Amino acid sequence: MPIRRLDLNLLRVFEAVMQHRSVIGASKELRVTPSAVSHALARLRQALDDDLFIPGDSGMEPTARALQLSPGIADGLGRIADAMSRKAFVPSEAVRTFRIAATDYGAVIVLPRVVARISAVAPQIDLRVFPLNRMDVVRQLDDGRVDFVIGWFADLPDRVRHATLFQDAEAVVVRRDHPLAAGPLTRERLFEFPHVVVELTGSEDMATDGFIDERGVSRRVWVERLILEAADGEKGLTGRVAISVPHYAAVPPLLQVSDMVATLPSLLAARAVEQFGLVKLDLPYEPLRANLDMIWHQRAERDLGACWLIQQIAAAMADPAS
């Protein structure tokens, strides 16, 4: 259908239903009745010759056509909104909520520095943090469900931007009286004990290099390189995963009551040593290093508030005194 014949208000309805996956949720956002939303959807379905949304277990599920249209519609509406209402962003006066998806590692390491930096200068800026587990991060950004995602990433589609916040390295930790805490540590000795690993996706799916691909985004889901590289053809080493958990916070209590071994990012390992009386072991190999990145949709770069927060987060993590 030619755009000149399409009521642009129907696209606002489309975007609201895409975000909320609910006619009622969309009606509340748009401040119209659910029947008005349903009527608008019916008109749009007829115009585009597609169901667009169908009832599912978790609400109104978008069709393939709707998913294809969503990024362009969101981007177009964003450009119109920018053109109509663009004005200076004043942090001290702004009333805004930003939505961030992150692991508990990202939340513990990043958020305190960010809050310390922005709370005084932007007292009415709120942050809503969602767990980064098995989620399609591109769809979440495309739909506007989250503004930023903090995690480990490799390949990113062109419409997704990123900034590296810092680099961390792996560290192996055990309880204080663990047999590995005494004597020289070797790879062979490490494999004598079961491991607890953090598996962020909520499933056992993983690639051999520790990344899982979701719609063009390669996301690191295991930091447990010992298990990833368990097979040693010459020495016959085999790593055993005794427990996998979806959160880093679950690891230290498990180590305290067992002979299990865990690989953690070094910043979390240091906290675990301090708070839980664990021991960080000297690795018998060069530790793996990985960048913790923040990613966002390209349309955020036309949003002065989002640009401000990107700058604040990057500055907070670059300042060693923060």
Side-chain angles (χ1 to χ4, degrees):
M1 166 178 284
I3 188 67
R4 65 179 181 274
R5 296 176 53 191
L6 184 65
D7 182 352
L8 295 184
N9 285 317
L10 300 182
L11 301 184
R12 294 183 62 233
V13 172
F14 174 92
E15 186 179 45
V17 176
M18 178 65 74
Q19 180 173 344
H20 293 281
R21 299 294 200 271
S22 163
V23 168
I24 293 177
S27 71
K28 290 180 179 178
E29 177 181 325
L30 298 172
R31 297 183 180 181
V32 299
T33 64
S35 61
V37 172
S38 297
H39 179 67
L41 272 182
R43 292 174 57 197
L44 194 58
R45 284 165 170 156
Q46 182 177 15
L48 298 178
D49 192 25
D50 190 90
D51 288 334
L52 297 178
F53 300 94
I54 57 177
D57 293 338
S58 58
M60 299 294 287
E61 296 293 336
T63 64
R65 177 64 169 153
L67 292 174
Q68 179 188 36
L69 291 169
S70 179
I73 290 175
D75 185 63
L77 291 175
R79 288 177 183 271
I80 293 172
D82 288 346
M84 299 297 292
S85 62
R86 189 173 182 88
K87 59 183 180 179
F89 178 80
V90 182
S92 61
E93 301 174 0
V95 179
R96 180 96 180 253
T97 297
F98 290 99
R99 295 157 295 181
I100 302 173
T103 64
D104 55 335
Y105 166 61
V108 167
I109 301 301
V110 175
L111 286 182
R113 294 192 185 191
V114 174
V115 170
R117 185 177 181 88
I118 72 172
S119 58
V121 298
Q124 299 183 92
I125 294 294
D126 296 331
L127 303 179
R128 297 289 181 267
V129 182
F130 302 93
L132 175 60
N133 293 326
R134 190 170 182 83
M135 62 178 290
D136 187 331
V137 295
V138 172
R139 180 177 297 175
Q140 300 288 326
L141 292 170
D142 282 343
D143 295 350
R145 292 192 178 191
V146 296
D147 301 302
F148 306 103
V149 183
I150 297 174
W152 294 282
F153 303 98
D155 300 324
L156 294 168
D158 291 341
R159 65 185 180 278
V160 176
R161 307 290 194 254
H162 85 284
T164 296
L165 301 180
F166 60 89
Q167 185 180 86
D168 207 350
E170 62 182 339
V172 173
V173 290
V174 296
R175 64 179 176 83
R176 180 169 295 162
D177 298 325
H178 195 285
L180 290 177
L185 183 64
T186 64
R187 189 181 288 263
E188 288 79 6
R189 291 192 70 202
L190 278 171
F191 280 107
E192 291 176 3
F193 297 91
H195 290 243
V196 53
V197 302
V198 179
E199 205 282 279
L200 298 178
T201 65
S203 76
E204 295 183 354
D205 298 334
M206 73 167 182
T208 56
D209 60 357
F211 286 84
I212 188 168
D213 185 86
E214 296 173 335
R215 294 183 69 205
V217 175
S218 294
R219 182 157 62 92
R220 181 176 293 282
V221 294
W222 292 56
V223 186
E224 178 55 86
R225 184 168 58 147
L226 283 176
I227 302 303
L228 291 174
E229 300 177 353
D232 188 318
E234 294 183 0
K235 299 183 179 180
L237 298 178
T238 302
R240 174 185 165 228
V241 177
I243 299 179
S244 66
V245 294
H247 306 293
Y248 289 100
V251 173
L254 292 171
L255 297 182
Q256 284 182 311
V257 297
S258 72
D259 280 343
M260 288 189 288
V261 178
T263 299
L264 297 175
S266 63
L267 292 177
L268 274 189
R271 288 172 177 260
V273 168
E274 178 182 351
Q275 298 174 3
F276 292 90
L278 303 179
V279 174
K280 179 180 174 181
L281 303 178
D282 293 328
L283 296 177
Y285 49 82
E286 185 66 22
L288 174 72
R289 298 183 180 276
N291 293 331
L292 188 77
D293 289 339
M294 178 174 66
I295 65 174
W296 60 90
H297 196 280
Q298 63 183 2
R299 65 174 174 270
E301 297 180 346
R302 303 191 309 272
D303 181 333
L304 296 180
C307 290
W308 174 82
L309 187 59
I310 291 169
Q311 294 170 354
Q312 297 304 308
I313 293 175
M317 300 312 300
D319 183 0
S322 64

